[in-house]
Amino acid sequence: MPTSEAPRIFPTLRYNNAAGMIDWLGKAFGFAVHAKYMNGADVGHAELALGSSMIMIGSSRPDAYGAIVGEPGQNGGKSVYLAVEDVDAVHDSAKAAGAVIVQPLTNRDYGSREFICRDPEGNIWSVGTYWPKAGEPAS
């Protein structure tokens, strides 16, 4: 059963240069700014949209949340997966924006075409054509 409910899951990332990363994420992956709240020179909170999905980012800072999630580049098993229609085009734009390609374009045995890259502050982004949708049977 298809759903038109708004997304409930919002990956959140902190960056040392969150303002610069907002521009980078737009160039590399096509994110658009939905909201941005500044705290002086720091990004207090930003919401970036890609289609009907969003991520939230902010400047790294030594607060209670920062103590839980760690500093940028301390991956600890964290990554973000982006489902896209044209992974080759996104790969090219991410590479042109300076992403470090950790795993090149690969055709997976489950039918997805994917690549993995690292953004300028060390976060891992997996990008592929595998696109599960809530309300539809798993394939």
Side-chain angles (χ1 to χ4, degrees):
M1 132 186 344
T3 180
S4 60
E5 180 178 77
R8 293 176 181 254
I9 299 172
F10 299 89
T12 61
L13 301 165
R14 287 223 172 150
Y15 288 103
N16 290 318
N17 179 8
M21 288 304 300
I22 289 171
D23 294 335
W24 189 90
L25 291 164
K27 290 175 188 166
F29 302 128
F31 279 100
V33 175
H34 178 74
K36 182 169 77 170
Y37 306 98
M38 299 300 289
N39 184 9
D42 291 335
V43 176
H45 174 80
E47 299 165 1
L48 306 180
L50 183 66
S52 63
S53 299
M54 284 196 277
I55 61 171
M56 294 186 261
I57 73 168
S59 295
S60 181
R61 53 192 175 273
D63 59 8
Y65 185 69
I68 293 168
V69 300
E71 294 293 318
Q74 296 175 343
N75 291 315
K78 296 178 276 188
S79 72
V80 178
Y81 179 84
L82 297 179
V84 300
E85 292 178 7
D86 187 349
V87 71
D88 292 80
V90 175
H91 171 273
D92 292 349
S93 64
K95 191 172 181 179
V100 174
I101 305 300
V102 176
Q103 186 176 80
L105 284 163
T106 303
N107 294 317
R108 304 285 185 203
D109 58 359
Y110 49 88
S112 186
R113 182 162 171 77
E114 302 174 348
F115 74 95
I116 300 172
C117 67
R118 186 180 314 275
D119 70 28
E121 292 202 20
N123 290 303
I124 299 295
W125 293 81
S126 299
V127 183
T129 57
Y130 177 70
W131 196 335
K133 295 174 179 71
E136 293 182 12
S139 54

